[in-house]
Amino acid sequence: MSKKIKLSKLVSKDSVKQLKRLTEIPPIDYNAARIELNSNREATIDGCRGIIEYYDTMIVLNIGSGTVQFNGSGLSILSFDSEVAVLRGRITSVEYCM
């Protein structure tokens, strides 16, 4: 018959507390914008509040908590519907400003 050993004897209480903290899932802000990139060819922005600037080399969008700027070439807004924008083109950089 095997002998049972309590985990608390093998691991310190501080280590267990630290492990709990590291594995906690942070709260989700459902009002925050969500940006999804599909390679460097397409971006979907959920939570877009409006278009600030729109050129074929730069698109700046209002996302409530700030702005997000997409730089590249051949950029276009494929769709903009109920706070979701879809951009297409060659995206070379994405900048977030508060």
Side-chain angles (χ1 to χ4, degrees), residues 29 31-35 45-53 59-70 95-98:
D29 181 3
N31 294 321
R34 181 173 171 269
I35 300 170
I45 304 88
D46 188 3
C48 182
R49 307 267 170 90
I51 301 165
I52 296 173
E53 291 185 63
I59 297 175
V60 182
L61 303 174
N62 176 358
I63 55 171
S65 61
T67 62
V68 64
Q69 177 176 320
F70 294 86
E95 240 180 279
Y96 173 77
C97 299
M98 291 180 80

